[in-house]
Each structure stands twice: as C-alpha cells, then as structure tokens.
C-alpha cells in the first residue's frame, strides 16, 4: 500500500527560479515528515524535516510546508541551483514505526 | 564519525541462489532499517532492527530475512533469488529509531541473472 505518494516523477526548472515538490499521504497517524535527496550511486541524504505540530519549517533555501487537513506537504527550493538536480524523496513515519517513502521526484535545474 | 557502511557495493547472482548483504551502522546507532529501491517504486521498507530484535517488518515474502548483532551491525539475507529481486538495497541507521532522521549507506546493487 502506497501510503506516501509523489505524483510527479519529474520536474524541470530554470536556475534561480523556485522548485516546488509535492507529496501526499494517506495515513493520518503520521506525525513526522522528512525530505531526502538522492544522487546516483549514493544513498539518500537528509534534507529537512517537519513535525506534525508545525506547518512550516525553513532551512536556508529549503522550506517544507505541511497541510494536515489536506494530508499534503511540499518542499520549496528558492533559488534553485544546478547542484540541486537529484531525486527527492518524501518520507513519513509515526512513533517507532517504519519510515515510509514516496516513489521520488527527479528534479532537473537547468542553467 | 564514519557513516553507514554497506558491503559489498555490487553483487551479481543467478536465480535460485541466496545472498547476504552487510551493514555497519554509525557508531552509537542501535536502530538499523533495510529498504529496497527499484525504478518507479521508491524505497520499499523491508524491516527494522533495534537491539538485536526485529521491531518492524514490511510486506516482503519470507525469502527476505535479516538479523542484528550485539554490536548493532546487521545482515540481510535473500534466499532463492528471483529476477525481480534485482534492486538497490539500502541500509539506514539512527540512534533509537524514534521519530528521527535516518542515515543511509550507499547501498548494495544486486543483479539477479
């Protein structure tokens, strides 16, 4: 069962513009959400997280927004840079249960 | 601090064989999780171990098994390999496994011929 969904397999943006990656989840018990970034031939690396008690968390160029009523979160990257080109995974978990991942969105930032 | 180490990096096996993958977590991390990554499927959760006990399990057949040792190192075993088992297997560790980020290794790329 796909409890975490990333419906856009790919996204292409121009350098300097905003990248918005979206994620939907079905399990209302999730209370911790994360974004990971993955380059080819490497493991995913943690980017940013948000607890369900918040609706926004910011870290430099990266901001994650959480809309609990819509069961939706998004990652904003501003400004986008060519080095941001990678696959981005959305993840969610609750308490000590396993972390569930989406299928990923491939972001391409064009110079 | 050394990161999560997975060995081997690449593996080629034939159908019907069995394989064992190894993972050394970050020092001090007691939770180890295993994931399977295939194109278009994202990361599928296999299982999680904490203090040598399997704490969570995903929806994979019994051919997939794992264990964790007292030093938190973990192994994953796949028996009677099938072509569909070809994937990148990722190991991740965290201090307690409770609402915290996971630290991933670079993975083991398994090809089943």
């Amino acid at each position: 069962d796909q409890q975490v969904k990333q419906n856009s397999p790919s996204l292409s943006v121009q350098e300097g513009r905003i990248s918005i990656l979206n994620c939907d989840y079905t399990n209302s018990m999730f209370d911790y959400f994360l974004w990971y970034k993955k380059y080819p031939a490497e493991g995913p690396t943690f980017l940013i997280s948000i607890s369900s008690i918040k609706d926004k968390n910011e870290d430099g160029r990266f901001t994650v927004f959480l809309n609990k009523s819509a069961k939706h979160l998004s990652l904003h990257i501003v400004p986008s840079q060519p080095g941001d080109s990678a696959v981005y995974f959305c993840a969610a978990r609750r308490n000590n249960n396993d972390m569930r991942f989406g299928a990923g969105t491939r972001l391409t930032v064009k110079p | 601090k050394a990161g999560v180490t997975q060995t081997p990096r690449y593996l080629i096996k034939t159908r019907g064989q069995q394989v064992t993958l190894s993972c050394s977590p970050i020092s001090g991390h007691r939770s180890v999780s295993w994931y399977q990554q295939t194109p278009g499927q994202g990361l599928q959760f296999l299982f999680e171990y904490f203090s040598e006990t399997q704490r969570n399990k995903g929806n994979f057949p019994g051919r997939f098994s794992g264990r964790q040792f007292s030093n938190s190192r973990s192994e994953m075993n796949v028996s009677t390999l099938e072509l569909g088992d070809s994937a990148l297997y990722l190991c991740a560790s965290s201090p307690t496994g409770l609402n915290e980020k996971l630290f991933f290794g670079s993975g083991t790329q398994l090809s089943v011929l």
Side-chain angles (χ1 to χ4, degrees), chain A residues 1-2 31-32 34 36 38 41-46 89 93-104, chain B residues 9-10 35 37 40-45 48 55-56 59 88 90 97-106:
Chain A
D1 61 343
Q2 201 71 11
D31 55 12
Y32 187 56
L34 309 90
Y36 281 82
K38 186 180 186 298
E42 295 182 12
T45 55
F46 170 77
F89 290 98
R93 78 185 306 174
R94 62 181 176 93
N95 296 328
N96 64 343
N97 285 283
D98 55 280
M99 190 174 292
R100 299 284 173 146
F101 285 79
Chain B
R9 188 74 179 87
Y10 300 95
Y35 289 84
Q37 185 190 5
Q41 291 296 314
L43 279 69
Q44 301 293 314
F45 174 73
E48 184 222 358
R55 186 159 64 177
N56 290 296
N59 298 322
L88 178 67
L90 292 160
L98 300 177
N99 272 9
E100 56 200 5
K101 62 187 178 186
L102 300 179
F103 295 82
F104 283 86
S106 297

Side-chain angles (χ1 to χ4, degrees), chain A residues 6-110:
Chain A
Q6 292 176 258
N7 293 318
S8 298
S10 63
L11 174 68
S12 181
V13 300
Q14 208 65 38
E15 181 180 5
R17 306 295 288 267
I18 184 172
S19 293
I20 300 176
L21 296 98
N22 294 302
C23 177
D24 297 295
Y25 60 95
T26 58
N27 190 338
S28 58
M29 298 300 290
F30 286 140
D31 55 12
Y32 187 56
F33 304 88
L34 309 90
W35 285 94
Y36 281 82
K37 178 179 177 179
K38 186 180 186 298
Y39 293 116
E42 295 182 12
T45 55
F46 170 77
L47 201 54
I48 193 169
S49 64
I50 188 168
S51 162
S52 60
I53 62 173
K54 295 186 174 182
D55 54 18
K56 177 183 174 181
N57 189 25
E58 198 170 350
D59 184 2
R61 297 185 297 113
F62 303 91
T63 303
V64 56
F65 295 92
L66 176 62
N67 182 333
K68 288 189 292 294
S69 60
K71 295 193 183 69
H72 177 84
L73 68 157
S74 61
L75 174 69
H76 292 208
I77 307 174
V78 184
S80 302
Q81 300 173 353
D84 296 329
S85 296
V87 177
Y88 289 78
F89 290 98
C90 167
R93 78 185 306 174
R94 62 181 176 93
N95 296 328
N96 64 343
N97 285 283
D98 55 280
M99 190 174 292
R100 299 284 173 146
F101 285 79
T105 296
R106 180 177 300 280
L107 173 65
T108 302
V109 180
K110 298 179 179 178

Side-chain angles (χ1 to χ4, degrees), chain B residues 39-60:
Chain B
Q41 291 296 314
L43 279 69
Q44 301 293 314
F45 174 73
L46 282 152
F47 26 67
E48 184 222 358
Y49 285 86
F50 180 80
S51 292
E52 302 178 67
T53 301
Q54 188 180 89
R55 186 159 64 177
N56 290 296
K57 188 177 187 304
N59 298 322
F60 278 79

